[in-house]
Every structure is written in C-alpha cells, then in structure tokens.
Amino acid sequence: MTTAASLGPMPRMDGPPEPELVHIRDVIYRAAGIFHPDNKLRLLQDRCGRRMQELKLQTLRQYLECLTTHPQRQAELVALLNEITIGETCFFRNQPQLDALRHVVIPNILQAKSNLPLRRLRIWSAGCSTGEEPYTLRMLTLEEAGGQLKDWSTEILATDLNERSLAHAQQGVYGDYSTRHLAPSYRSKYFVPLDDKLQVNAIARSNISFTRLNLSDDSRMTFMKSMDAIFCCNVLIYFDLASKRRVIQHFFNNLLPHGYLFLGHSESLYGVNDDFRLVHLPGATAYVKGERVLAGGKSR
Amino acid sequence: MTHATATKQVLLQRLEGLRQIPTIPAVLAPLLRYLQQPVEHLDVQKVTDLLSQDKSLAAQCLQMANSPLFGRAQSSQSLRGAVVSLGFHRVSDIAMSCGVLNMLPRDKTGLDPVVFWEHSLGCALICRHLAAKINFSDPTKAYLAGLLHDLGIIVNLWVLPKEFRTAWETAKAGGIPLHEAEQKCMGFTHCDSGRLLAERWKLAPELIEVVSFHHAPEKSVDHTGLVSLVQLADLLCRMSSLNHGYVEKRAVNLREEPGFALLSQHSTTLKEFDWARLTFELDSYMDEVHSLVRAIYRT
C-alpha cells in the first residue's frame, strides 16, 4: 500500500494537513478500507475531535497513539468508525452510485440475462440498517418498471444483524433527516404523511423482504444465492480482515457471473480479495467477478 | 463518397489554410525553449521577464501557481516569487496549461471550452500523480502529455465546429466515447486531426504519439509507456466529473484496457497498484480543478 509520504502535492482547503491526521487516515484505510481524500480531512479531524473530547485528549498526536499503541486501540477504532459513519443513513445517500446502477449496471445485467426464461432481478442490501437503502433501491426499480424493467420482476432482500434496526425498517417511518435528499415527486409517490413524519407506502414496500442475518454466519450466507447486485455500504469496515475475507468470498459465490458488488462511498476491497475486480462507473466504483469484457469494454 | 469521407477531406483542406487556429501564444514558444535548457543554465529573472511579456498569461500563471494543485504551501503575490518556490519545471507546466486555455474558442455551444480545459488539466494532473505513484520511468513528460492529449478537439472546435458539435451531441445522447461518435459523424477522430496539428507544430515525437494513439496505445511505436499512462488517466477523468461534458454510460475495468498491460512493462508496481485509493484521492483534485478553472476563465 502506498503511504502518504510518497504522495505528490495534493489539494487542501487551508494549508497542509497535520501529519498526524494523514497518519490517522492511513490507519483507518488499512484497518477498515475507508478512505478520506484531502478535501474530506477536515471532516475526519472533526470526528477525531469528538473522540478526543470524550477521552479528554489534547492533541492529535495523543489520539494517534490511542489508535495505534494503546491496549484498547481496537475498541477506539470502532468508536471512531461509529463517529465517521454516524448520520450516514438516508434515502438516496449516494446519488452517483444510484445513477450508475440505473443507467449502466441494470442495462448490463438485463443484457446478460436476456436469453434466460426467468426475467427476475435480485438485489441484496446487506446490512440495511433502518431500511433507507432497500427502500431507495425499490423506488429506483419502480421508476424503471414501465421502462427497461418492463416485464421483469424485482426482488430486494434486505438483511441486518440488529433487530431494532430491522423493526424500524419494517415500520418504515422516517423523519426529516433521513428524507433530506428525497425529491418531492418521490415523497408524493412513495410515502404517506404520518404525524410530522413520512411512512413508506404499500407500493414501495412491495417485493422487499427484511430478514435478520449475521454476515459472519457461514451456513446461512451460503444460501443467499443468485444475486444480480449486492449493496454492502459501510458495514465491512467493522470486520477484522479474516472475517471480511470470508464475507466477501460469500458475496463472490452468491453473485451471478454478471453481478455487481457496491460498497460505501470511498470504501475499498484493496488487500482483501483478489477475485473481485474494481470497475469504474460514471462517478462511482463497484466490483465485478474476474476478468471479462463488460459492455463498452472495447471502447477506450 | 460517403458523408464521413467528405468531412475528412474538408478537414484536410481547412487545415491547409490553418489561419483560423490560434497558435501557442507568442510568448510561450521562447519561454518553453528557454526552459528546456539544463536547470543550472536557467535564470529566475529571465523566466519572470519572459512570462511578464503577456500580462494576461502572467496573471493566469500566477493564479494557477497559487493553487494547491501545484503544491504551493503559501500563496505568492509576485510572479518571481512563484517561479522561485515552484521551480522551473512546474512553471513550464503551468505556462503551457495557460497556453492551451488561450487557444480555445469562446463559443460555448456544444462542448464548453471550460469543460474541455477542466478535462485536459485534470488529465495532466492525474498523469503526473499516477506517474509518481507507479514509479513510471519518465515522470517529467507525464503532465504535458496529459494536458495535450486531446489537442485534436481544439482543431475540431476551430476547423469544423458544426460537424464537431453534431458528433459531440451524438456522443452525449448515446453516452458513448467522443472518438466513436466523431468517427461515425465525421469519418475521423480528434486523434487524426490532433496528429496533423501536432506534426505541423513539430511537437516532440512522444507527444505526437500521445495525441495520435491515446485511444489505441497498442498502435504506439516508440512511446507505449507514456501513451498508455495517458490512456488510463484519460479514462479515469472521463468516468469522473472531469469528463467531456457528458456521462459515458459504461463500466470500465482498467485491468482489461490495453494500456494496462503495456504500462506494466514500464512500472514494476502497477500490478499491485491500489486503483480504488487513487480514485478516492482524485475527489480532491476534481474540486480544485473545477474551482481553479472557473476562477481563471473569468479573468
């Protein structure tokens, strides 16, 4: 892995970042696979600041030591990751990723399956938390129901380890924060008002199944077969390398040959798995299985 | 004769009477020639004087020199200060970048010149960044190669604006690469027209190959490494917001590109390279490039 020291000059907001902050960025990337580019370093500093306040630490150097040499460093890393991902969950969280799904990935999948008798699209939201992601995916496929997904059935499988999160997801009631990126047309089409909140309506709930699943449960993971696309955003960052490798291998086995794996924004599989290949989509990245020519692969 | 072949002939005819295409600003040629000398022969005052001859170019250079994209720790108020702290090599990169900007027509119908310049500048920066990270054998040429790779688009914008606009709109509507649409609509691509201009300008042989083959690095003869580096950097730009002003609807696996295998011969670390991290790092570049280009274009 390339270290920060070897990088060329990089953009920054106001002066060079503190070396300790760059080091913390690298610690997080190595341990959790989530990367903070230079224009997000201030955000990372803010998150570290919250932890430092909690721990009553004065300097980033002290906090770096806490993350690297302290006996409780693993627990501290988890606490920092919680700060980093807090408030991440909302509808239409990663618009470029969703646009790429709609305009590139789904057409590629449909083309790959065009000769099969069963016209079915299966998408798995692995680690769906309180449900915003699977409902977003459902709304997106419903928008295409009269277009490219005409005559296709869509199944969304939504799984999470946390029962309380799953109960929230099944209830489908959301406040302003979760719905902040929701376009007015989606609000009216797929939600009904409930007090001062919004509840997902019956159309957007259709064809989604919510199930409790531990991604480390090898016997159950084996049965999540025939997926066209898997979304697993900001979930694997909490796994140690060995567990992460096992989960990724299950994803690999469960995806159909043309399938796509999506991770969170700035989340990487580097050093975790050699079978998946990184692909660049417009404004987003994803992973596909092995070496093969994708649609448009001959164009340069 | 097909429509496309007819257009290619028109291109050749119009290129013959090349008066419409602006050349590199007059001040740049002597400056770049001067900067090609060994560093120990260079004089800061002479470089500053040469740049100062064109006030608008000097102002643009100072603006770029103060961008974090060029590694400045502190902003400089004077051109001389910028030359001292950036070094001659970066000054040459910056001056050439401003030169390309000044060659663009101001017509914003079709491919917006601002968007084109963002793409060129972005590609130059990514080439430089990538070359450094993969220990590319000749990193000093990377920036200029990235900057000039789409020279043919400037030719097309000046010489066949209507036909090029149709090609660009076709590419945008289909979400396909621009060179495919050019081939379909005009019978040639910006690689062909760029080559004509690059040869006329007597650019360095490696730059002529980059301009001609950055969509087909396997056709490159003597400079496959550099051409391949540009091919991959260009793809990364086109899949990001530093594209040609529209979204290409496709999935790109860089490892399957011919440039990847060819570049591997010029870099020992490419096979293990962390492309995901590079892609995330580029997020910062994109923001900076957009704001820098817009600021300069207003001046």
Side-chain angles (χ1 to χ4, degrees):
Chain A
M1 192 177 297
T2 312
T3 60
S6 68
L7 293 180
M10 283 290 289
R12 52 196 173 255
M13 296 300 285
D14 42 4
E18 294 83 341
E20 291 82 6
L21 192 60
V22 172
H23 198 144
I24 290 172
R25 179 220 345 241
D26 285 345
V27 169
I28 295 169
Y29 187 59
R30 269 197 299 273
I34 194 163
F35 186 78
H36 292 76
D38 280 23
N39 58 353
K40 298 276 164 57
L41 277 180
R42 292 290 161 256
L43 192 73
L44 177 62
Q45 190 171 23
D46 176 65
R47 301 298 189 256
C48 291
R50 291 187 199 179
R51 289 302 308 150
M52 285 159 63
Q53 208 168 8
E54 178 86 20
L55 299 167
K56 298 189 172 33
L57 297 177
Q58 301 301 315
T59 65
L60 274 172
R61 180 179 290 269
Q62 291 170 325
Y63 187 56
L64 175 61
E65 280 169 17
C66 194
L67 277 173
T68 50
T69 55
H70 196 274
Q72 297 298 314
R73 58 186 180 275
Q74 200 54 39
E76 184 48 39
L77 181 69
V78 171
L80 178 60
L81 289 171
N82 279 333
E83 285 292 348
I84 288 168
T85 57
I86 201 164
E88 277 269 319
T89 308
C90 69
F91 290 95
F92 294 89
R93 172 172 54 179
N94 186 346
Q95 192 63 50
Q97 188 182 62
L98 296 167
D99 288 341
L101 173 73
R102 190 167 177 177
H103 300 301
V104 180
V105 171
I106 290 180
N108 283 355
I109 292 171
L110 299 191
Q111 194 183 8
K113 295 179 101 170
S114 58
N115 291 328
L116 301 179
L118 187 60
R119 294 167 84 80
R120 185 182 68 176
L121 185 71
R122 266 161 77 85
I123 304 177
W124 176 13
S125 169
C128 68
S129 184
T130 43
E132 288 88 338
E133 182 176 85
Y135 285 127
T136 298
L137 294 169
R138 183 65 188 131
M139 286 185 261
L140 191 138
T141 56
L142 281 165
E143 289 293 304
E144 290 293 335
Q148 57 177 332
L149 287 174
K150 192 169 183 286
D151 302 328
W152 285 74
S153 69
T154 306
E155 278 177 37
I156 313 270
L157 285 95
T159 66
D160 201 274
L161 175 65
N162 188 312
E163 282 177 2
R164 209 190 300 177
S165 297
L166 277 174
H168 184 167
Q170 278 166 314
Q171 201 185 13
V173 179
Y174 300 95
D176 290 343
Y177 193 76
S178 283
T179 56
R180 65 191 187 277
H181 293 154
L182 209 51
S185 61
Y186 284 85
R187 283 173 194 263
S188 55
K189 248 197 259 185
Y190 302 116
F191 290 84
V192 287
L194 187 74
D195 302 325
D196 58 345
K197 295 184 172 179
L198 289 173
Q199 183 166 34
V200 180
N201 70 14
I203 303 167
R205 283 167 185 273
S206 60
N207 296 23
I208 304 184
S209 63
F210 288 99
T211 315
R212 184 175 179 276
L213 176 71
N214 183 347
L215 297 178
S216 296
D217 183 342
D218 289 333
S219 56
R220 287 195 61 204
M221 286 289 278
T222 312
F223 292 101
M224 304 293 290
K225 292 288 184 204
S226 306
M227 297 296 166
D228 293 297
I230 299 175
F231 283 74
C232 187
C233 302
N234 297 336
V235 177
L236 296 172
I237 58 174
Y238 296 101
F239 286 56
D240 63 39
L241 184 61
S243 316
K244 203 185 283 192
R245 283 192 168 141
R246 265 207 325 274
V247 174
I248 293 296
Q249 195 55 51
H250 281 299
F251 287 162
F252 188 88
N253 298 339
N254 291 333
L255 270 175
L256 289 167
H258 55 261
Y260 285 76
L261 169 65
F262 287 94
L263 301 180
H265 186 68
S266 297
E267 199 182 344
S268 157
L269 280 188
Y270 184 73
V272 177
N273 177 290
D274 292 331
D275 294 332
F276 274 117
R277 288 281 176 260
L278 180 77
V279 284
H280 286 82
L281 301 163
T285 54
Y287 290 87
V288 296
K289 296 173 86 165
E291 304 285 350
R292 61 199 180 79
V293 178
L294 296 158
K298 284 182 183 167
S299 303
R300 295 160 204 163
Chain B
M1 191 186 291
T2 64
H3 173 69
T5 331
T7 317
K8 187 167 187 174
Q9 293 220 331
V10 173
L11 167 80
L12 288 167
Q13 280 165 10
R14 291 200 195 168
L15 267 176
E16 286 304 313
L18 206 66
R19 285 182 212 97
Q20 291 156 291
I21 300 184
T23 52
I24 296 175
V27 58
L28 267 185
L31 174 70
L32 295 174
R33 251 199 321 275
Y34 181 73
L35 287 172
Q36 277 170 4
Q37 298 180 78
V39 175
E40 57 271 24
H41 295 172
L42 296 176
D43 172 40
V44 171
Q45 193 54 48
K46 170 85 174 161
V47 172
T48 313
D49 290 347
L50 278 168
L51 267 175
S52 305
Q53 284 174 20
D54 183 327
K55 291 279 174 285
S56 140
L57 183 73
Q60 288 170 347
C61 283
L62 189 58
Q63 214 164 351
M64 283 189 80
N66 281 327
S67 160
L69 290 168
F70 290 89
R72 292 299 316 284
Q74 286 172 339
S75 75
S76 180
Q77 299 304 310
S78 75
L79 209 50
R80 188 187 157 86
V83 173
V84 170
S85 64
L86 284 170
F88 294 120
H89 200 77
R90 285 268 153 93
V91 168
S92 165
D93 286 349
I94 287 173
M96 199 61 201
S97 307
C98 295
V100 170
L101 168 74
N102 295 329
M103 280 186 278
L104 291 168
R106 294 262 160 172
D107 176 19
K108 293 200 173 189
T109 54
L111 175 56
D112 184 342
V114 173
V115 168
F116 172 79
W117 202 53
E118 284 178 344
H119 173 73
S120 301
L121 190 59
C123 191
L125 290 161
I126 294 174
C127 281
R128 187 184 76 188
H129 189 82
L130 182 57
K133 293 192 87 171
I134 63 169
N135 301 322
F136 181 61
S137 47
D138 194 359
T140 53
K141 291 182 177 136
Y143 183 91
L144 200 54
L147 183 75
L148 294 179
H149 75 286
D150 274 344
L151 192 63
I153 291 181
I154 303 181
V155 177
N156 295 350
L157 281 167
W158 280 100
V159 178
L160 291 166
K162 269 191 200 156
E163 292 83 349
F164 178 68
R165 189 174 157 185
T166 306
W168 181 81
E169 279 167 357
T170 303
K172 186 181 177 189
I176 60 170
L178 184 56
H179 64 280
E180 285 185 11
E182 286 173 330
Q183 189 64 48
K184 203 166 111 188
C185 300
M186 310 198 300
F188 65 93
T189 72
H190 59 269
C191 299
D192 304 315
S193 50
R195 180 181 195 134
L196 292 174
L197 188 63
E199 286 174 345
R200 181 165 291 217
W201 280 0
K202 298 189 171 47
L203 289 186
E206 71 271 13
L207 291 176
I208 295 179
E209 286 210 2
V210 164
V211 168
S212 310
F213 304 126
H214 63 273
H215 291 296
E218 68 279 12
K219 291 184 184 163
S220 161
V221 184
D222 297 319
H223 304 280
T224 45
L226 190 64
V227 176
S228 301
L229 182 84
V230 174
Q231 189 220 355
L232 300 181
D234 177 43
L235 274 168
L236 283 171
C237 280
R238 282 157 49 203
M239 300 314 287
S240 77
S241 65
L242 298 173
N243 53 29
H244 283 133
Y246 66 90
V247 169
E248 289 184 32
K249 292 178 182 165
R250 61 206 195 100
V252 171
N253 181 345
L254 292 174
R255 283 172 170 270
E256 289 179 353
E257 294 297 328
F260 184 88
L262 293 167
L263 189 56
S264 300
Q265 297 164 15
H266 297 262
S267 159
T268 48
T269 54
L270 191 69
K271 285 202 169 113
E272 300 302 316
F273 187 62
D274 186 353
W275 290 100
R277 180 174 169 143
L278 176 82
T279 308
F280 305 148
E281 284 168 353
L282 298 184
D283 273 0
S284 297
Y285 274 137
M286 283 175 226
D287 288 354
E288 289 289 341
V289 168
H290 288 306
S291 57
L292 174 68
V293 168
R294 273 158 176 73
I296 288 186
Y297 218 78
R298 277 199 299 271
T299 58

